[in-house]
Amino acid sequence: MRWLVGWSSTAAGMSGGSVGYDGRRDADAAYGGQVGYEGETLQPVGSHLLWGDPDPLWAVGDWRPDEVRVVSADAQNRIAVLGTCGATDEQLRVGLSAARGGALRHLTAWPGSYTAIVRVGRRLTVCGDLAGVRPVFHTPWEGGTAYATAALPLADLIEANLDFGHLAALLAAPDVPAALHDSTPYDGVRRVPPGHALILRAGAREIVGYEPVASLAVAAPPADPDSAVDAVRDALVEAVRARLSAPRHVPDIDPGPVPGMGPAERRAARGMPMPGIGADLSGGPASGTLALLAAGLPGMPGTLLGHGTGAGERLLAVTFNDLAVGGGEDELQRAGALAASPRLHHVVAAGAEETLPYADMDGPLTDEPGPSLVTVARHRARLAAGSADHFTGYGARQVLDAHPARLADLLMDRKRRHLVRPVAALTKADGSVLVPARVYGAARRLARTPYRAGVEGLAERLLHRRFGSDDSGGALGASLAALTWGGAGPAARWLTGEALAEVSVRLQSAAHRTGVGPGQRPGDYRARAALTRHSMDLRVLEQAAEIRSQRLHAPFLDNQVVRACRALPETLRVQPGARAAILRTVLKGAGVTDLPPGWGAPSQASASAAARAGLRMAIDPLLGLFEAPLLAEAGLIEARVVRRALRAAAAGELLPLDGLADLISLEIWLRRLLSRRGTCWTGTPARARAVPAGIAPQRRAVSSGG
C-alpha cells in the first residue's frame, strides 16, 4: 500500500531542520512529527517527509521517485503531487498560483491519476478525484485534523473502533450514498466525497465541491455526439500518453535461472513482473482499446525493431484463459487476432481450479473491505504475467454505459423516442411483449418520485424485509430493480432485523437532513454512485492482488476521462452497443481501423459460473469460516442462516452469489484486521492500533432512539 498522511494543527509546532523526500535538508520546517509516547517522535512507519511542522505531510510506502513531486513558490506556498501526473513543473506552479486564489478545479484537470495537496501558509487543500479511486479521509485529532489517502492510518492514530452501522450499510445498501454517507469502517474516520476537496485552516476543516452538478430544474443543453466522442478520444490518448512518457521502471534483478523455467515463468513464480509496459487484452472493447492505443502511439512501447530511438520494445498483452470454467473461446480468439500486430507481444495466463473464486483466501490486509477479496487469486495470476506498468480497462463500463435509471432522465427531458431501441433490446432478450409497458411504467414512476420519497421508501422496505426482488430475473429484472433512487443490496436478505433497522435509521436520517437531495437527475445520480462503488472495490483489488514493483493503470477512471465521458449525450449512451461503438470511433480517430470480427460483442464468459464453481470447491472452508463468524458476533448476521445459504448455493439453488461474496469478503477482512499485530505509527502508547478491543458492538442507533 501507498498513501500520504499529515495533519493540520491549531498551533505551530517545534522548529528545526528536516530531511525531505529527496534527501535534502529543509531548513524552514520541523522534523514533521510531534513528541509522542516516552519522547519518541510521532510519525508514520516507513515514511518520507515532504514538508514539516506546523502542518507536516508524509509519503508512506514504496513510491517511485517520479511519483512524488513537490514544487515550491516560496517557503509558505507549495504543491505536492503524488501519483502519475502529466503536468510539467511550470504547470504545477500555475496550478499553485490558481489555488492561492481559490481555483481548485484547475488542480484536477491534468492527465493521469494523482492526488494534489496545496499548502498556502496555514491553509491546506487536498483534492480527491472524481471516480473515488483516490479518496481522501480525515478525522479530528489533538484539537486539529489529521488527513490521509487511506483510512487505516487514521484509525490507528485515534484507536478507532469499528463502525457497525457502516458495515451493515455495506451489506444492505452498498450502492446507496445516503446509507454510507461519509462514513468508513472505522468509527470517527470520515471520507471526502468524490469530486470534493478537503480544506484545512489551522486545524479547522471544510469540504467543498469543485465540480459543477447538473440542475434538476433545467435540462442540460444538447451536446453534439461527434464532438463528445472526440473529447473522449483526446482524453484517453492523453491519459495513455501520460503513462508512456513517465520513466521506465525495471523490477528487482532476477536472481538467476531455475531448471525447467523460462524467464517469464521464473518471474511469475517469484512474483516479479516483466520490465516495461503491458496491458490486459481480454478480447473486450475496453482493454483492447487501451492496448492498441498504448502500442500505437508514437514512441515506446510498440516501436518496431529498427525504427526510432529505443526501438524494439513491444507492449506485453496479457490474456487470462479460464481453463476451469471455459466459455471464453470467442474472446480468446479476438484477443489473439488483436495481438497479431507486430507491436504486441501476446502472453496467455492460464488459470485452473486454484484460481477460482474462494480458492485462495489468504492475503494482505486492505484498507477497506470489498467483494474482490474473494477473487484475488484470479487477478494475481493474470497480473503476475504482466509488466511493471500494466494498463487495465477497469471503469469503462461505469463511465460509458448507461445506467438503467437514465431512462427516467430521458422522460424528464421529454425524449421518449430515444427509449425505443433500449426497450426493444430488453424485449428481445426477455421474449415477452409486456416488457415495454413494464419498463416505461417503472421509468415514469422514477421520474415522478422525489429523492426524499425514494430514500424513505427504501428505508421502509428494509425495515419490513421487502427487498423488491423482481421475479423476471435476467436483464429485465436487473433493469426494473435499478429504476429506483436506491435498492437493497444482494446480501440484505441474510442480515438480522436489527442490522436492517440500523440501516433504515441511517436512511431516514439522511432523508430528513437539511438540504437533502443530490441536485441531479436519478439516472445521473445512480451512475455516479455505481462508479464510486466500482472504484472503491478496484482500490481494494489493487491492494489485495498487488505484485511487487508493479503499478496498475486505469485510464478510464482519470479525472479528464471521466469528465469527457459524462459529457456524452444520454441519447447516445442508452443505445444498445454504445460502449463498443464509442470505443471503435475512438480507435478510428487514433488511426486503428483493423479490428477482428465480433469485436465489442457482449462477453459470453459467465462470471457467475466461475463463482458457483469456486463456491462448490471451497464449501468446506467456507462453512468453517462461518462456524463462529465475527459478523455474527457483531450482530449483523446469524451464522446458521448463512451456512444454510452456502450449502444451498453450492447445491445449485438460484441465490444471489454476489451477496454471498459480500458476506464472505467482509468476514475475511474482519479476521485479517483483528489478527494484525503492527501499527502505522511510532510514538503512540503501546503501539496503538485500530479496533484495540476487538468486536465490541456499541449501542445501536435503533435501540437508543438516535
Side-chain angles (χ1 to χ4, degrees):
M1 289 176 62
R2 291 168 296 279
W3 64 84
L4 62 89
V5 61
W7 59 65
S8 176
S9 57
T10 56
M14 298 175 61
S15 60
S18 67
V19 178
Y21 186 84
D22 56 1
R24 295 177 298 180
R25 182 155 296 276
D26 190 353
D28 66 298
Y31 54 79
Q34 297 189 1
V35 177
Y37 187 64
E38 294 183 351
E40 189 178 5
T41 301
L42 180 62
Q43 61 184 16
V45 175
S47 62
H48 299 277
L49 185 65
L50 300 185
W51 59 61
D53 282 340
D55 304 315
L57 174 67
W58 292 272
V60 185
D62 59 334
W63 293 95
R64 293 172 174 173
D66 60 286
E67 291 177 330
V68 180
R69 299 164 62 191
V70 179
V71 174
S72 302
D74 51 55
Q76 299 298 320
N77 298 279
R78 300 175 178 178
I79 180 172
V81 176
L82 287 86
T84 302
C85 180
T88 63
D89 287 353
E90 183 57 33
Q91 289 175 317
L92 292 182
R93 291 188 181 92
V94 172
L96 174 58
S97 299
R100 293 174 64 180
L104 300 183
R105 193 174 186 270
H106 192 72
L107 301 174
T108 67
W110 299 308
S113 179
Y114 57 89
T115 302
I117 311 97
V118 174
R119 174 181 174 180
V120 179
R122 294 298 310 278
R123 186 184 73 189
L124 292 171
T125 303
V126 189
C127 295
D129 65 339
L130 291 176
V133 76
R134 285 183 170 269
V136 178
F137 304 90
H138 62 93
T139 186
W141 182 74
E142 295 292 331
T145 300
Y147 64 92
T149 53
L152 184 57
L154 300 183
D156 280 347
L157 187 63
I158 65 172
E159 294 190 285
N161 286 311
L162 289 170
D163 186 343
F164 294 100
H166 176 87
L167 299 181
L170 274 180
L171 297 173
D175 296 321
V176 183
L180 299 173
H181 192 40
D182 62 350
S183 62
T184 67
Y186 313 101
D187 190 23
V189 179
R190 299 295 174 183
R191 184 194 312 271
V192 176
H196 288 69
L198 175 67
I199 299 179
L200 304 173
R201 294 181 178 90
R205 62 184 174 275
E206 178 186 6
I207 297 175
V208 298
Y210 57 77
E211 199 72 4
V213 178
S215 173
L216 266 174
V218 181
D224 177 45
D226 294 336
S227 300
V229 174
D230 289 344
V232 173
R233 180 200 63 210
D234 295 341
L236 268 179
V237 169
E238 286 302 314
V240 173
R241 183 178 284 120
R243 273 82 173 184
L244 296 182
S245 61
R248 294 291 191 270
H249 292 274
V250 179
D252 297 336
I253 298 177
D254 193 338
V258 176
M261 283 190 179
E265 296 172 319
R266 189 166 64 242
R267 285 183 175 275
R270 289 170 173 163
M272 298 169 58
M274 294 291 291
I277 292 183
D280 284 340
L281 189 63
S282 66
S287 62
T289 297
L290 292 179
L292 293 174
L293 283 179
L297 287 177
M300 299 184 301
T303 306
L304 301 183
L305 186 62
H307 294 75
T309 304
E313 180 189 0
R314 294 188 295 170
L315 182 131
L316 179 65
V318 179
T319 301
F320 182 75
N321 184 19
D322 192 348
L323 301 177
V325 176
E329 292 79 8
D330 292 341
E331 284 200 352
L332 194 62
Q333 290 179 359
R334 286 196 292 269
L338 288 172
S341 167
R343 296 176 179 269
L344 298 174
H345 173 59
H346 194 209
V347 172
V348 177
E353 293 180 350
E354 64 273 8
T355 62
L356 284 172
Y358 311 106
D360 182 10
M361 292 183 287
D362 293 329
L365 172 66
T366 56
D367 192 43
E368 297 181 277
S372 60
L373 288 178
V374 301
T375 59
V376 168
R378 300 171 70 77
H379 297 290
R380 191 178 290 123
R382 168 177 54 88
L383 297 176
S387 294
D389 288 277
H390 196 76
F391 285 93
T392 66
Y394 290 116
R397 185 186 305 273
Q398 284 70 29
V399 299
L400 289 174
D401 285 9
H403 193 281
R406 287 192 183 272
L407 298 180
D409 296 359
L410 293 177
L411 288 181
M412 296 176 71
D413 294 339
R414 300 181 182 274
K415 298 177 180 178
R416 295 180 179 86
R417 63 186 181 89
H418 295 286
L419 272 68
V420 174
R421 289 185 61 190
V423 172
L426 280 175
T427 304
K428 182 179 179 180
D430 187 76
S432 172
V433 295
L434 300 178
V435 170
R438 298 180 67 183
V439 172
Y440 182 82
R444 191 165 179 261
R445 281 193 302 273
L446 177 58
R448 296 185 174 187
T449 302
Y451 170 78
R452 179 170 175 174
V455 173
E456 289 178 337
L458 175 59
E460 184 73 14
R461 293 196 301 272
L462 289 178
L463 191 61
H464 294 90
R465 303 187 72 87
R466 298 196 304 266
F467 304 121
S469 58
D470 193 86
D471 55 2
S472 60
L476 175 61
S479 298
L480 292 176
L483 281 166
T484 60
W485 278 105
R493 66 183 65 201
W494 294 299
L495 296 187
T496 62
E498 186 181 9
L500 291 174
E502 175 80 13
V503 180
S504 179
V505 169
R506 291 170 70 99
L507 288 171
Q508 291 172 358
S509 300
H512 291 87
R513 195 174 295 123
T514 304
V516 66
Q520 300 161 256
R521 285 167 165 72
D524 189 28
Y525 176 73
R526 290 296 305 273
R528 292 178 188 238
L531 175 60
T532 300
R533 175 64 173 161
H534 176 78
S535 300
M536 290 171 59
D537 193 46
L538 173 59
R539 182 168 169 264
V540 172
L541 170 63
E542 185 178 8
Q543 296 169 6
E546 184 177 21
I547 303 295
R548 184 181 178 185
S549 301
Q550 186 180 67
R551 295 290 187 272
L552 295 187
H553 300 283
F556 283 103
L557 297 178
D558 287 5
N559 284 341
Q560 289 299 82
V561 178
V562 171
R563 286 190 178 104
C565 292
R566 285 179 177 174
L568 291 169
E570 292 178 346
T571 55
L572 172 64
R573 68 167 77 232
V574 298
Q575 306 307 321
R579 174 165 32 114
I582 291 171
L583 294 180
R584 187 185 294 271
T585 306
V586 166
L587 287 175
K588 184 178 180 180
V592 180
T593 57
D594 189 15
L595 297 175
W599 184 88
S603 172
Q604 300 299 319
S606 175
S608 61
R612 195 172 296 278
L615 189 65
R616 284 196 302 267
M617 289 199 59
I619 184 62
D620 291 335
L622 291 177
L623 291 175
L625 184 70
F626 284 91
E627 193 63 38
L630 296 175
L631 287 174
E633 189 176 343
L636 300 182
I637 64 169
E638 291 185 15
R640 58 180 179 82
V641 174
V642 176
R643 290 198 300 269
R644 184 165 62 242
L646 288 172
R647 294 190 186 96
E653 188 173 332
L654 293 180
L655 291 175
L657 300 181
D658 46 353
L660 291 175
D662 289 344
L663 287 172
I664 295 168
S665 60
L666 183 51
E667 177 67 23
I668 292 173
W669 181 81
L670 285 174
R671 292 184 178 234
R672 292 177 185 173
L673 177 65
L674 296 185
S675 63
R676 70 190 285 250
R677 296 179 178 273
T679 178
C680 297
W681 297 86
T682 65
T684 55
R687 293 293 187 265
R689 60 178 181 267
V691 199
I695 298 292
Q698 299 176 345
R699 195 179 183 195
R700 303 297 182 90
V702 65
S703 60
S704 63

